[in-house]
Amino acid sequence: MSEYKQRVERLQHKLQTGGFDGMVVTQNVDLYYLAGSMQTGYLIVPASGDPKFFVRRSVARAEEESAWPVEPLGSLREFAGQLGAAFPDLAATTGRSPVKLAAEFDVLPVQLFQRLQQSLAHVEWKDGSALIRETRMIKSPFEIEAIRSAARVINDAFEDAFGWLKPGMTELEAMSRMEYFVRERGHIGIMRLRGYNQEVITGMLGAGDAAATPTYFDGPAGGLGLSAASPQSSSRRPFETNEPILMDVGCCIGGYVIDQTRTVVFGSLPDDLAYAYDASERILRSAEGLLRPGTVCEQLYAESLRLADDAGLADHYMGYGRDQVKFLGHGIGLEVDELPVLARGFNYPLEAGMVIAVEPKFTFPGRGVVGIENSYAITAGGFEKLTISREGLIRL
């Protein structure tokens, strides 16, 4: 309970600072973060005082899970009355100024928002996306330990895979075996993303030209996938010798994700790809030197661009051509794409409690992707590397 109370109080501080009367939380992951339950409904977080969870389905399960009181949600036509009865300060009152409520505009469907507008006609709605995302950006010791747990499981999966990976095996067979391994150890089967139309199951495992196939997914390595219905990650292509195999595979334990990448080869890489891999490690080491409170996020990205350019690899950095992505890393936690982002325009200074995946990679169309990715917790004195898998180009 103290964990959820601290999270709500941090959000309430932001609401008060912004002049909000409260926030209506609807998205599953935000509900889970603030209440410990992702049953269907609305968590009302007043600017001060305890929240209340209005639940449509399943009320019984929400009552078992929620850190806050649960009330069955009637029709939206009646919601204004329910809200006012539970929170008099948020009620529709003749002569008073509009109630200012925040909502997650980045993920709230337009249709649902319009229905809420009709039901709560006395409310002035404001975008609260940044409020909740910035609250979630700083992890508690409990959350960081959950990510450590996921890191231990995926490390075991990598070490297991290094024992059975072989030429001729398909990307799909290898990914399926790794997924089975982590599922048995608690992986929930998905890695959640907040971005619209962005999805990932457990990661991307691809080899050679297939790994370098671009796709809609906002990352430096897309993967061929199984069809246009799932145009990313692993395909039925077999592994060959002397080509890079990119293992960008994580897992999600208790809702919290670990994100990491290793490059594997049967035999040896061509000299230019080996050179690019070494450059990715140099960029990672440089980033580690800047991972401390006070460093501005876009500074990390700018330095990585400089190093990629100095290596003569700017055209291949984080994708190729029009499919290059414009970041070095991103926050992780309950979702893969959390704040902060290591990219231009992100002026957040690093703070203790942030957890960031740093992923310098190089893409060579028709040949493959090489690189490395680790996840780090920012500490008062620097960082803790949460990824524990062996580093270096892994030759099998």
Side-chain angles (χ1 to χ4, degrees):
M1 184 61 195
S2 62
E3 180 78 16
Y4 295 109
K5 188 171 181 62
Q6 289 172 19
R7 296 175 186 183
V8 165
E9 286 176 346
R10 288 173 50 230
L11 176 59
Q12 287 175 325
H13 175 73
K14 293 180 181 295
L15 290 170
Q16 293 164 13
T17 301
F20 295 97
D21 296 304
M23 184 166 186
V24 179
V25 179
T26 66
Q27 191 237 25
N28 276 356
V29 175
D30 290 340
L31 290 172
Y32 178 70
Y33 175 78
L34 292 170
S37 176
M38 57 172 60
Q39 300 304 305
T40 303
Y42 312 136
L43 181 71
I44 307 300
V45 182
S48 61
D50 288 347
K52 192 163 196 176
F53 194 10
F54 294 88
V55 177
R56 188 178 305 284
R57 176 184 176 93
S58 160
V59 174
R61 182 148 185 181
E63 288 174 338
E64 293 179 359
E65 297 172 338
S66 176
W68 307 108
V70 172
E71 182 174 328
L73 178 65
S75 73
L76 273 181
R77 290 188 301 273
E78 303 166 349
F79 188 44
Q82 278 192 281
L83 181 67
F87 301 100
D89 289 346
L90 305 182
T93 305
T94 303
R96 69 167 292 177
S97 58
V99 172
K100 293 184 179 180
L101 292 182
E104 309 134 306
F105 282 11
D106 62 328
V107 291
L108 181 61
V110 173
Q111 186 180 66
L112 176 56
F113 178 55
Q114 290 176 338
R115 292 178 65 199
L116 285 169
Q117 283 181 307
Q118 292 170 2
S119 175
L120 305 177
H122 66 293
V123 169
E124 179 182 341
W125 295 93
K126 298 290 185 180
D127 186 6
S129 308
L131 301 179
I132 184 64
R133 296 193 72 195
E134 289 174 356
T135 299
R136 286 177 43 194
M137 180 170 67
I138 307 300
K139 274 63 181 181
S140 69
F142 170 86
E143 293 180 282
I144 293 173
E145 180 54 36
I147 298 171
R148 288 192 194 101
S149 297
R152 290 190 288 268
V153 170
I154 200 61
N155 175 64
D156 291 345
F158 270 62
E159 288 300 320
D160 180 69
F162 296 153
W164 49 253
L165 282 168
K166 60 184 178 181
M169 177 179 286
T170 68
E171 296 172 344
L172 180 60
E173 181 182 357
M175 188 64 166
S176 297
R177 287 185 67 168
M178 290 193 73
E179 286 184 288
Y180 181 77
F181 185 98
V182 295
R183 281 288 274 164
E184 280 202 313
R185 289 156 180 81
H187 171 49
I188 68 173
I190 56 175
M191 306 263 288
R192 292 190 172 99
L193 289 106
R194 195 176 188 90
Y196 178 65
N197 275 350
Q198 294 293 298
E199 55 192 4
V200 64
I201 299 172
T202 305
M204 203 292 287
L205 195 160
D209 57 347
T213 303
T215 189
Y216 72 95
F217 183 74
D218 191 21
L224 185 59
L226 294 176
S227 72
S230 181
Q232 62 166 294
S233 193
S234 303
S235 71
R236 300 184 190 277
R237 181 193 186 281
F239 298 138
E240 299 175 4
T241 58
N242 305 321
E243 66 174 5
I245 301 170
L246 196 76
M247 298 175 65
D248 187 349
V249 184
C251 72
C252 181
I253 305 293
Y256 287 87
V257 302
I258 187 70
D259 196 7
Q260 66 179 55
T261 301
R262 294 296 182 263
T263 300
V264 175
V265 62
F266 299 114
S268 59
L269 290 182
D271 289 345
D272 59 336
L273 298 190
Y275 171 78
Y277 177 80
D278 289 342
S280 73
E281 286 213 347
R282 289 196 299 274
I283 293 172
L284 186 72
R285 297 284 91 85
S286 172
E288 287 178 345
L290 296 171
L291 289 179
R292 58 180 179 271
T295 300
V296 176
C297 289
E298 66 176 359
Q299 179 186 347
L300 285 148
Y301 178 59
E303 180 63 10
S304 76
L305 289 176
R306 185 188 69 78
L307 292 172
D309 187 54
D310 287 350
L313 293 167
D315 290 345
H316 298 271
Y317 184 55
M318 300 300 283
Y320 186 81
R322 295 180 65 180
D323 294 305
Q324 283 182 303
V325 296
K326 307 300 183 183
F327 63 84
L328 167 64
H330 51 87
I332 62 168
L334 290 168
E335 293 166 319
V336 178
D337 54 346
E338 296 198 358
L339 294 178
V341 183
L342 307 183
R344 285 195 179 101
F346 284 84
N347 295 313
Y348 293 106
L350 295 182
E351 297 180 51
M354 290 179 174
V355 179
I356 301 170
V358 182
E359 54 173 321
K361 295 169 184 168
F362 294 94
T363 301
F364 295 83
R367 302 181 66 202
V369 183
V370 298
I372 186 169
E373 178 180 22
N374 285 337
S375 293
Y376 303 88
I378 305 302
T379 65
F383 67 86
E384 174 192 351
K385 184 160 71 76
L386 300 177
T387 305
I388 58 175
S389 295
R390 66 170 97 166
E391 297 188 0
L393 180 61
I394 297 168
R395 297 177 173 84
L396 301 179

